[in-house]
Amino acid sequence: KQEVTQIPAALSVPEGENLVLNCSFTDSAIYNLQWFRQDPGKGLTSLLLIQSSQREQTSGRLNASLDKSSGRSTLYIAASQPGDSATYLCAVCHDYKLSFGAGTTVTVRA
Amino acid sequence: NAGVTQTPKFRVLKTGQSMTLLCAQDMNHEYMYWYRQDPGMGLRLIHYSVGEGTTAKGEVPDGYNVSRLKKQNFLLGLESAAPSQTSVYFCASSRGTVEAFFGQGTRLTVV
């Protein structure tokens, strides 16, 4: 069974600091890994998708890396802003299903 | 584009009542999924479908049934609701190994 873990569960940083969010998974036989953002009471918004053959993916201030052999992914958010406050979820795609971590709740203090 | 649409957005049920949640996607995706999200537990897969007419059990299928009679629709049924089924339900669709798209969720309370 695929187990996905996100550490830390919560993170509070001052505005302007870089954010580092970690995701680990137990089975390296994945098709891809996807990072999502979820605002309170809202749905999931896709941020980045990394295919299993890729090492990283970038979009604006966001950069995600993937080390499939060690079962790890890291999401970097540069120069954080109060608007980045949300819960960030990682999900791995295996057997055509997504398995999720419990998320990291980020608070960026102005 | 509508993407993935869930109906209803909110519902309150009494214990023992039944209901059906509807998920509709307009992206011609083969794969559709139902998840539930509970505080501190992330999203857990209830049932999924790899194509029209197919369904399969996920991680937490007990107490739920599903049907995929049309490619664009995936229905989640609760035959006899229990308080333990109070949760936020999300539907998603994808082409399988690429990006998954999620609906806005259905907040269900069973009293």
Side-chain angles (χ1 to χ4, degrees), chain A residues 32 34 38 46 93 96 98, chain B residues 33 35 37 59 96-97 99-100:
Chain A
N32 63 56
Q34 202 167 346
Q38 186 177 31
S46 179
C93 180
Y96 303 103
L98 285 176
Chain B
Y33 311 87
Y35 289 87
Q37 184 177 35
E59 185 184 357
T97 61
E99 188 176 8

Side-chain angles (χ1 to χ4, degrees), chain A residues 4-11 13 19-23 33-40 43-48 61-64 74-91 100-108, chain B residues 37 42-43:
Chain A
V4 182
T5 304
Q6 290 188 247
I7 294 173
L11 187 60
V13 299
L19 288 165
V20 180
L21 309 179
N22 297 302
C23 173
L33 184 145
Q34 202 167 346
W35 282 94
F36 294 88
R37 169 183 171 139
Q38 186 177 31
D39 294 296
L44 279 69
T45 301
S46 179
L47 297 174
L48 289 169
R61 294 184 295 112
L62 277 60
N63 174 276
T74 302
L75 177 67
Y76 301 90
I77 303 177
S80 62
Q81 304 168 359
D84 294 328
S85 297
T87 296
Y88 293 83
L89 298 159
C90 76
F100 282 82
T104 296
T105 298
V106 171
T107 302
V108 181
Chain B
Q37 184 177 35
L43 278 77

Side-chain angles (χ1 to χ4, degrees), chain B residues 2 4 11 13 20 24-25 36-37 48 62-63 65 93 97 100 107 110:
Chain B
V4 179
R11 186 73 186 268
L13 282 180
T20 300
Q25 54 95 4
R36 60 178 289 173
Q37 184 177 35
Y48 63 104
D62 293 344
N65 57 76
S93 72
T97 61
R107 189 171 298 273
V110 183

